[in-house]
Amino acid sequence: MILNTQLEYKGDLFPATIKAYKKDVDVLHFSTTNNVILQLTVLRDSVLRFRYTTVGKFENDFSYAIDENASRGYNHLEISDDDEKYIVTTSKLICFIYKSDLRKSIFDAIDKSLICEDEKGFHWEESYELGGDIVKMSKAAQNGESYFGLGDKPNHLNLKGKRFENWATDSYAYGKDTDPIYKAIPFYTALHDNKSYGIFFDNTFKTYFDFCHERRNVTSFWAQGGEMNYYFIYGPKMLDVVSNYTDLTGTPELPPLWALGYHQCKWSYYPESNVKEVTSKFRELNIPCDAIYLDIDYMEGFRCFTWNKDYFPDPKRMVKELADDGFKTVVIIDPGIKIDMDYDIFREGLEKDYFCKRADGPYMKGKVWPGECYFPDFTRPEVRKWWAGLFKELIEDIGVKGVWNDMNEPAVMDVPGKTFPNDVRHDYDGNPCSHRKAHNIYGMQMARATYHGLKKFNYPKRPFVITRSAYSGTQRYTSTWMGDNLASWEHLQIANIQAQRLAMSGFSFAGSDIGGFAEQPNGELFARWIQLGVFHPFCRTHSSGDHGDQEPWAFDDDITNIVRKFIEIRYQLLPYLYTAFHQYSQDNVPMLKSLVLFDQDDSQTHYRIDEFICGNQLLICPVNEPNAKGRRMYIPKGEWFNFWTNELVSGGKETWVDADLDSMPIFVKAGAIIPKYPIQQYVGEKTIDELTLDVYYKHGKEDSELYEDANDGFDYKKGRYSLRKFNLTGNDNKLVIRIHKRGKFFTSYNTFKLNLIGLPFKVKSIKIDNEYIDLKDVKFNGENSLVVSKEVTNIQIKG
Ligand code: GLC
């Protein structure tokens, strides 16, 4: 018998009338007669945080996602009210909070248009089983609204009409539409009437998002526990929404440049002779490669931080020899620690009480590669410190350059749910909780501890970490990949969508297992996948290894040549990619831009999935089908040069583009200045003594950038970088390039070689910093190139 009559109603509960309002600088409190409080924080003119409690008191305010250093501050804040509502006004937004039911409507402060409004708004259900609330929010979907983001979902880029769950899950050989998979990134952007906003639901419990799936006109999100706590981020440019979200959840640091090179991986290269065979073959065939990976078999019985001495008798020597040949060694480290009293790390973890426990005290025991394991509670600061310290030998002594964190959802084998049971306890940085709350951030906290270990022991070099699982904010510590995909044409398309989606979810440094992890690609699929992969920020071939080889030479000579050609293009584009990374790490600009991010005003872009912009000026479109001689694609508005033929095309339309197997559709934005290195077999192989700038003519203006520094280390943070801004202006018979330089870094080269592409006139004169130069020095008609000092500030080319 239920005695408490309030509990008899098992259904949605709603806030009642507002009875009190209080303002504390930028934090506003609205309390209702039934104990609900809405706390509204004005973080910026365009960023509002909404937090609700149903019990008249808030929990400790703690988040793993939010970066303490995120900028905060607004230009304008005004609060007023009338009979019906409170009105909060900033310079960008107006927010109404209705007195009768706490619902909200948000408007653009400038043109007063409606951006986002609550449907039912905040409501909740009491969780009879576990206590607390199932917290819910529903919004009225606007006419023609589209939705993007949400991390690694292997689904159509536009999320409209679908429902998703966020619960990090080991998903071997997942398929299109499998949900959830490895990551939980509860952030989406919405777009209607050419205006975009984003919602970041910072709740680490299992969360759900429904984009007009259950009800055509309603978008909702809810969580199995915790608080309704979300950030509303206004654009109106989607790019600004994404960069504000990235700033809020943490800007990544620059990786070492080699991490943008090509990486080769397999489960597993062993023994040492096999590793050497692979690395030597790269050099022999002149296929650039910077990193070689050791998967679980390098360890002694899969015990983390050990080596199998039969396979790798002298790891330090091997790592050094690989380094001498330009290879950085990256090793895998999983969270499961083998239960073995003869294993020092296990003993230490046990003695210091660092392993996760079940609700009633026993250890959380689970089977992973080494057999039965215990698992460190990475949500405890002292455990993270211990874990970071464990990398001393690997990094400082042996010379390993990168660490690969896997199985950190956390994955457990042979159990329902493939993870810890819900009752497992976690410290959650002094906010003790069950696994329901800590599950989605477990992998993130492991990667964080690993990152700190590398940062410490690799200093003064930069750390490189890669993780499989992630929550919002993980981009601060590590790169990522999409987990165990499959060698299929469908998965090639999925990889493209996931990389774009992660980039618009604040996590640009991502890539897929090129060629597919499970099963075996044929040469054609592998070549098409490499073509896409070289334009992803993280570029690694990986495979499960039990279906054949997946090195660039594993198919036939034609394929090897195509693979080499595209990896070489990536190495030439390294300064371009590095500049894009700088823009990401400096201004939170995503390194890949889906067409909707690039031009949201063009409604043609809202449902495009294959085409994307790499950096700011390269338009890429992979070929996703076998036997293709090309494909149809959408060229966004503006003028573009075909990368291969230099032919000029006007965008705003779909068109057929030729692309035999040794080619793919690549276009360069008119006016772009693309910096290029010579081909190297690995980063730093050559001293760069001249930098090539491919200058694409434009009738009009276009800005480009070139960021350079020592390619490693942290001196760039003290101003030792060089940032050049190029302003290009062209008309019928003139092309002018103005160059401004900032920063104290001196590049190794002294000259730029400019390749002038697409000039519509015959050159009659060239003036450099106000001096005419002899046209004999310029090789026109043929190469159309011009060598200038890197210090020039003004180049005028006249016809
Ligand atoms: C997991 C990883 C995969 C790795 C394998 C063995 O399946 O996702 O990348 O190779 O474990 O460590």
Side-chain angles (χ1 to χ4, degrees):
M1 186 174 62
I2 298 170
L3 290 177
N4 183 339
T5 47
Q6 267 190 326
L7 286 184
E8 268 177 41
Y9 175 59
K10 286 194 181 188
D12 287 340
L13 299 165
F14 292 86
T17 323
I18 297 179
K19 67 164 190 224
Y21 158 69
K22 191 178 84 188
K23 176 174 184 290
D24 187 3
V25 194
D26 53 3
V27 185
L28 322 175
H29 289 257
F30 304 90
S31 314
T32 70
T33 51
N34 62 342
N35 268 344
V36 176
I37 305 173
L38 160 61
Q39 189 192 70
L40 193 175
T41 308
V42 180
L43 288 157
R44 295 194 200 160
D45 291 297
S46 57
V47 183
L48 306 177
R49 177 184 180 195
F50 298 99
R51 198 179 167 209
Y52 297 82
T53 172
T54 62
V55 294
K57 182 176 180 294
F58 284 99
E59 290 169 19
N60 183 31
D61 190 12
F62 174 78
S63 166
Y64 281 118
I66 300 296
D67 183 1
E68 293 158 1
N69 305 318
S71 49
R72 216 174 143 151
Y74 46 81
N75 295 311
H76 178 76
L77 178 60
E78 194 185 305
I79 294 124
S80 59
D81 73 324
D82 60 23
D83 289 349
E84 195 193 17
K85 60 192 179 288
Y86 289 92
I87 304 166
V88 179
T89 307
T90 73
S91 69
K92 295 262 173 65
L93 293 170
I94 299 169
C95 177
F96 292 172
I97 294 135
Y98 294 98
K99 291 183 174 174
S100 59
D101 54 11
L102 210 58
R103 283 187 312 118
K104 319 174 299 294
S105 299
I106 302 176
F107 305 84
D108 180 308
I110 302 182
D111 68 11
K112 313 283 186 277
S113 62
L114 178 66
I115 303 301
C116 178
E117 98 185 303
D118 286 354
E119 186 246 356
K120 286 182 190 156
F122 173 59
H123 52 295
W124 72 99
E125 212 181 297
E126 292 192 1
S127 173
Y128 289 92
E129 204 191 332
L130 299 154
D133 300 324
I134 297 160
V135 290
K136 308 177 184 183
M137 172 62 62
S138 69
K139 306 269 181 197
Q142 303 300 311
N143 238 345
E145 192 160 5
S146 291
Y147 305 93
F148 305 90
L150 232 54
D152 63 351
K153 306 293 181 199
N155 213 298
H156 195 291
L157 206 61
N158 193 330
L159 305 166
K160 189 163 190 172
K162 302 188 183 73
R163 174 183 282 196
F164 299 96
E165 184 180 318
N166 287 315
W167 183 253
T169 305
D170 179 10
S171 310
Y172 174 80
Y174 59 95
K176 190 166 184 303
D177 303 342
T178 304
D179 188 55
I181 58 168
Y182 303 92
K183 297 172 184 59
I185 302 192
F187 164 68
Y188 71 88
T189 61
L191 173 66
H192 65 85
D193 300 300
N194 295 350
K195 297 194 177 78
S196 177
Y197 65 89
I199 288 194
F200 170 41
F201 182 21
D202 189 9
N203 181 311
T204 61
F205 284 80
K206 186 181 281 184
T207 53
Y208 297 87
F209 287 78
D210 187 301
F211 300 102
C212 310
H213 171 80
E214 188 178 308
R215 284 185 291 155
R216 194 167 55 81
N217 295 324
V218 177
T219 284
S220 55
F221 49 93
W222 64 101
Q224 286 190 334
E227 278 179 0
M228 174 49 61
N229 168 31
Y230 76 95
Y231 294 78
F232 176 86
I233 306 168
Y234 186 44
K237 284 256 155 282
M238 199 187 286
L239 259 181
D240 293 333
V241 176
V242 172
S243 58
N244 258 315
Y245 161 78
T246 313
D247 184 62
L248 200 62
T249 57
T251 303
E253 290 174 324
L254 277 173
L257 183 63
W258 66 260
L260 297 185
Y262 174 71
H263 301 216
Q264 183 69 38
C265 185
K266 176 181 170 164
W267 179 16
S268 299
Y269 291 127
Y270 72 92
E272 177 180 339
S273 57
N274 179 228
V275 176
K276 291 281 187 53
E277 222 176 284
V278 173
T279 54
S280 312
K281 194 87 178 167
F282 273 100
R283 299 297 178 244
E284 184 193 317
L285 296 177
N286 282 315
I287 300 172
C289 183
D290 259 281
I292 184 82
Y293 283 59
L294 302 181
D295 205 328
I296 47 175
D297 298 284
Y298 80 91
M299 300 182 239
E300 178 59 50
F302 309 129
R303 290 169 187 81
C304 293
F305 306 99
T306 67
W307 289 82
N308 179 317
K309 290 289 167 95
D310 292 333
Y311 299 150
F312 298 96
D314 187 354
K316 185 172 178 172
R317 176 191 43 73
M318 178 189 75
V319 168
K320 168 153 195 324
E321 285 164 7
L322 290 170
D324 291 345
D325 202 13
F327 286 95
K328 274 57 73 176
T329 305
V330 180
V331 300
I332 198 166
I333 291 285
D334 290 351
I337 300 296
K338 188 177 175 67
I339 301 175
D340 172 3
M341 275 304 184
D342 295 328
Y343 170 32
D344 53 348
I345 290 174
F346 173 75
R347 270 200 325 273
E348 197 185 342
L350 198 67
E351 272 156 26
K352 297 195 168 147
D353 207 15
Y354 286 163
F355 296 125
C356 293
K357 288 183 183 155
R358 307 288 301 268
D360 297 326
Y363 287 105
M364 165 56 220
K365 186 155 80 175
K367 199 178 139 213
V368 220
W369 306 122
E372 300 285 1
C373 289
Y374 290 167
F375 301 83
D377 183 8
F378 295 108
T379 72
R380 251 171 85 187
E382 61 270 49
V383 176
R384 288 197 297 271
K385 202 165 171 213
W386 170 65
W387 186 260
L390 296 176
F391 288 96
K392 186 172 168 51
E393 191 191 358
L394 264 180
I395 308 299
E396 206 177 74
D397 182 38
I398 298 179
V400 162
K401 286 287 168 223
V403 173
W404 171 20
N405 281 166
D406 187 25
M407 306 295 276
N408 53 354
E409 290 69 31
V412 179
M413 292 165 175
D414 306 333
V415 292
K418 300 192 274 188
T419 191
F420 295 1
N422 278 338
D423 69 281
V424 169
R425 304 294 299 162
H426 295 272
D427 179 64
Y428 213 92
D429 279 65
N431 303 275
C433 67
S434 79
H435 196 63
R436 293 168 69 228
K437 181 171 175 180
H439 175 83
N440 281 334
I441 50 81
Y442 186 85
M444 173 194 196
Q445 295 311 304
M446 179 193 186
R448 173 186 183 182
T450 302
Y451 159 85
H452 284 296
L454 261 88
K455 195 157 184 184
K456 180 165 179 201
F457 298 116
N458 201 31
Y459 195 82
K461 303 282 191 199
R462 301 174 196 165
F464 172 72
V465 180
I466 173 164
T467 182
R468 193 169 71 174
S469 188
Y471 180 72
S472 295
T474 308
Q475 73 272 3
R476 302 203 284 274
Y477 312 117
T478 166
S479 64
T480 190
W481 89 107
M482 287 79 158
D484 298 344
N485 59 1
L486 213 113
S488 69
W489 289 94
E490 185 175 72
H491 255 280
L492 171 57
Q493 190 180 33
I494 293 174
N496 182 8
I497 294 171
Q498 287 179 304
Q500 292 180 54
R501 192 192 295 299
L502 280 162
M504 62 166 87
S505 307
F507 210 151
S508 284
F509 200 9
S512 63
D513 281 355
I514 294 175
F517 177 75
E519 300 183 7
Q520 169 77 350
N522 61 17
E524 185 189 8
L525 176 57
F526 186 70
R528 290 301 193 193
W529 209 316
I530 276 280
Q531 292 171 356
L532 171 68
V534 299
F535 293 103
H536 283 167
F538 178 65
C539 178
R540 179 184 78 160
T541 293
H542 181 39
S543 73
S544 64
D546 46 4
H547 300 95
D549 292 337
Q550 217 157 290
E551 292 78 37
W553 52 87
F555 305 93
D556 61 41
D557 287 351
D558 288 346
I559 299 299
T560 308
N561 292 335
I562 294 168
V563 170
R564 180 194 297 106
K565 171 172 156 179
F566 277 86
I567 297 180
E568 285 180 353
I569 291 175
R570 182 174 180 98
Y571 274 74
Q572 288 177 293
L573 288 173
L574 280 174
Y576 176 81
L577 294 168
Y578 198 51
T579 300
F581 213 119
H582 156 78
Q583 289 162 348
Y584 172 45
S585 80
Q586 182 71 29
D587 300 324
N588 303 296
V589 182
M591 293 174 73
L592 303 183
K593 293 159 193 82
S594 302
L595 292 197
V596 67
L597 261 186
F598 179 72
D599 186 1
Q600 70 190 46
D601 295 345
D602 174 4
S603 59
Q604 291 292 321
T605 66
H606 299 186
Y607 279 88
R608 302 305 308 193
I609 50 178
D610 293 340
E611 306 85 348
F612 65 94
I613 309 289
C614 169
N616 292 325
Q617 293 160 322
L618 290 179
L619 167 64
I620 309 295
C621 187
V623 175
N624 291 330
E625 277 174 3
N627 304 316
K629 299 254 159 242
R631 62 164 294 161
R632 285 193 74 77
M633 65 177 280
Y634 183 71
I635 314 266
K637 288 183 180 165
E639 304 274 288
W640 301 84
F641 283 89
N642 184 310
F643 175 79
W644 308 101
T645 62
N646 289 340
E647 183 196 340
L648 191 63
V649 293
S650 294
K653 59 173 189 262
E654 254 205 21
T655 188
W656 169 268
V657 182
D658 288 333
D660 277 332
L661 189 54
D662 64 348
S663 181
M664 80 184 290
I666 305 175
F667 291 86
V668 187
K669 198 173 176 205
I673 296 185
I674 308 284
K676 279 184 172 167
Y677 272 174
I679 294 165
Q680 303 180 79
Q681 296 309 303
Y682 55 90
V683 166
E685 185 205 16
K686 294 180 181 160
T687 305
I688 312 297
D689 44 27
E690 186 163 88
L691 195 90
T692 300
L693 297 175
D694 284 349
V695 179
Y696 290 86
Y697 170 83
K698 179 177 184 179
H699 195 284
K701 286 180 193 295
E702 175 74 15
D703 295 338
S704 305
E705 275 190 6
L706 168 63
Y707 173 83
E708 293 161 290
D709 62 18
N711 298 337
D712 208 334
F714 297 94
D715 281 357
Y716 75 99
K717 294 195 172 179
K718 295 183 224 136
R720 291 219 177 76
Y721 64 85
S722 150
L723 180 64
R724 281 193 172 77
K725 298 209 185 236
F726 302 99
N727 310 120
L728 176 146
T729 314
N731 61 31
D732 289 344
N733 56 5
K734 194 168 162 186
L735 182 70
V736 179
I737 304 168
R738 289 191 191 84
I739 308 169
H740 304 274
K741 193 202 156 198
R742 238 181 40 212
K744 293 184 282 195
F745 179 73
F746 294 101
T747 57
S748 57
Y749 58 85
N750 289 316
T751 51
F752 288 127
K753 179 179 172 193
L754 273 59
N755 291 324
L756 303 170
I757 296 160
L759 288 187
F761 52 82
K762 192 167 162 6
V763 177
K764 297 212 181 97
S765 74
I766 297 179
K767 200 157 80 170
I768 292 176
D769 289 342
N770 281 327
E771 276 190 37
Y772 284 99
I773 63 159
D774 195 334
L775 281 187
K776 282 208 302 294
D777 296 343
V778 186
K779 291 181 243 151
F780 278 109
N781 305 325
E783 237 191 292
N784 250 18
S785 65
L786 160 70
V787 174
V788 299
S789 153
K790 68 174 177 186
E791 303 302 343
V792 297
T793 59
N794 191 305
I795 303 173
Q796 294 196 24
I797 300 165
K798 280 194 186 160

